[in-house]
Amino acid sequence: MKKFARISLAVGALAVATYLVAQPATQAQRAGVTGKEEFGTMHLQSNLGSFRSIDGQGRLETTFKGTLLVSKLDGKMDIVSGKLRKEYEGMDRIVYTGQATVVFTGKWRAIQWFGSDMRTVWYGRGFMRISGEFDRNMQTGDYWYDNPAEKLPFPSSSVFTLTLPQQRTGADQSIVPQGRKSDSLGGE
């Protein structure tokens, strides 16, 4: 019984620690987003790579160097800081190059970036395809949802699709593993 109490206490402490370091979207990161849809928060960072947000909605804030393609934006794009040069506009698409912090609110068919020094927070829903290249420190980048302790690396040499809000599959996350009382061979 004491072992079970220690396990329960450890699981409880882990849950509290996870709650304290979780990074859901702040009020500023939710600004301008309306609706009753189920939204989630995704964080991305990469020194060299690409992402493509597909059929998205909500608020996406990204800081980057490189190229940005915006397709069928039904909403607003604000350049908060930096400088972008419009390279192309037509067929419901706009292509920019430069270095900036940009905030999108509304709905879009696609927002695609490739380049360097990217930091992104997306509060909303949709799909995100990511790919990273190794930088000089042999890092590809990281992504996570609400908890930065659950960071996962960008894939290299392939494209990985994420969903927002996060789709969890598999066993119930609230189940605590229990030890066996005896094994199938009759031992203890």
Side-chain angles (χ1 to χ4, degrees), residues 18 21-24 43 142-152:
T18 301
V21 298
Q23 282 187 299
H43 303 262
D142 299 302
Y143 72 92
W144 66 97
Y145 289 90
D146 288 332
N147 187 353
E150 296 177 2
K151 284 183 183 180
L152 295 169

Side-chain angles (χ1 to χ4, degrees), residues 52 64 66-73 77 79 83-98 102 104 110-114:
R52 180 179 171 106
F64 65 93
T67 301
L68 187 69
L69 167 67
V70 182
S71 180
K72 296 185 181 179
L73 176 63
M77 174 182 159
I79 300 172
K83 186 173 180 180
L84 291 178
R85 182 176 67 224
K86 189 183 296 184
E87 299 288 344
Y88 172 82
E89 184 171 9
M91 301 183 340
D92 289 328
R93 295 179 179 97
I94 304 173
V95 177
Y96 299 94
T97 59
V102 181
F104 297 92
I111 298 172
Q112 184 169 344
W113 158 84
F114 62 92

Side-chain angles (χ1 to χ4, degrees), residues 110-149:
I111 298 172
Q112 184 169 344
W113 158 84
F114 62 92
S116 61
D117 301 327
M118 178 273 299
R119 305 291 176 265
T120 298
V121 177
W122 179 17
Y123 172 72
R125 66 179 300 116
F127 300 94
M128 180 70 81
R129 290 187 182 151
I130 60 173
S131 181
E133 297 294 329
F134 288 103
D135 62 15
R136 63 179 67 136
N137 298 319
M138 299 304 292
Q139 301 295 316
T140 57
D142 299 302
Y143 72 92
W144 66 97
Y145 289 90
D146 288 332
N147 187 353

